[in-house]
Amino acid sequence: MAERNRVSPRSDIVAIPLRGRFMGNRGCLHRGHSVVRHHSGTRWIICVTDYPARTVPQWSEGHYTVLFFHDEAVALAAGHRPCALCRRGRYNDFRAAWRSANGGGLPGADEMDARLHGERLDGSRQRTHRAAWSSLPRGAFVLFDDGPAVVLDDTVVPWSAEGYGTPSNRPTGTATVLTPPSTVAVLSAGYRPDIA
């Protein structure tokens, strides 16, 4: 049986068999094998699963809770960003796209984390925003037919606990977007997330 350590595009921590291609954390969220809080702090990161210097096993007392994401697009939708340690190249790509989207110098982790944290949550629920379907970049997650779906060029692909489903044509009009606005801007500026 799957443990409750997977993250959905809705930012929920769930128990589903779909383990995923990436891991990450939001701080120490567990007691024993139970997740007791949604997050701890503002540093929400996306890591590789096989980083050799990582020595924290799952459910270690007093250490961060290891979380898993189906792919990078799911993790970005949930409000995470690439890790500066185990994914340094992707972290630098993300920072460069952030600068392109927002101007100024290359942002540090604290600056990005503070802004993303303000865009992630509305109380204890995921904050959403509205945008024209035509403006959404590849890799952004939206609500589509009452569930999360990823935008891929001219299509929208629903996501579920089993993975991606059958693509549909991209609609017109306005979408409800799950991916935080700053991350949508990073995607629009050329950052290409890993999508399963």
Side-chain angles (χ1 to χ4, degrees):
M1 180 190 296
E3 296 200 69
R4 187 172 166 229
N5 60 3
R6 278 67 158 164
V7 179
S8 79
R10 297 297 317 257
S11 196
D12 297 322
I13 302 171
V14 295
I16 59 174
L18 192 66
R19 182 169 181 260
R21 297 169 62 184
F22 291 92
M23 61 163 283
N25 77 79
R26 301 176 180 176
C28 184
L29 314 179
H30 66 279
R31 282 198 199 105
H33 285 232
S34 296
V35 173
V36 296
R37 64 180 62 87
H38 181 265
H39 67 280
S40 176
T42 61
R43 187 141 296 170
W44 296 20
I45 59 174
I46 310 164
C47 300
V48 295
T49 57
D50 59 354
Y51 187 61
R54 184 171 295 106
T55 58
V56 176
Q58 180 69 290
W59 311 118
S60 292
E61 185 177 342
H63 291 278
Y64 65 81
T65 304
V66 178
L67 303 172
F68 294 96
F69 311 100
H70 179 61
D71 63 19
E72 189 177 21
V74 167
L76 293 173
H80 293 248
R81 60 141 176 95
C83 175
L85 181 62
C86 68
R87 300 186 71 217
R88 183 56 126 175
R90 296 298 281 157
Y91 171 76
N92 286 336
D93 293 344
F94 192 86
R95 292 172 70 208
W98 185 289
R99 178 179 59 191
S100 244
N102 298 295
L106 275 177
D110 291 341
E111 177 185 342
M112 293 187 295
D113 291 342
R115 184 150 164 199
L116 285 170
H117 198 65
E119 296 175 354
R120 291 176 184 136
L121 301 173
D122 185 8
S124 61
R125 299 180 54 93
Q126 182 182 32
R127 184 183 299 271
T128 61
H129 56 105
R130 309 279 288 164
W133 276 102
S134 60
S135 72
L136 293 173
R138 178 181 179 82
F141 258 89
V142 296
L143 285 180
F144 182 72
D145 290 340
D146 298 322
V150 68
V151 174
L152 297 178
D153 303 319
D154 294 332
T155 62
V156 182
V157 185
W159 183 92
S160 74
E162 289 79 42
Y164 290 110
T166 305
S168 297
N169 290 331
R170 185 193 288 228
T172 58
T174 305
T176 300
V177 185
L178 300 176
T179 306
S182 291
T183 303
V184 171
V186 164
L187 297 173
S188 293
Y191 186 84
R192 293 293 173 255
D194 178 289
I195 301 173

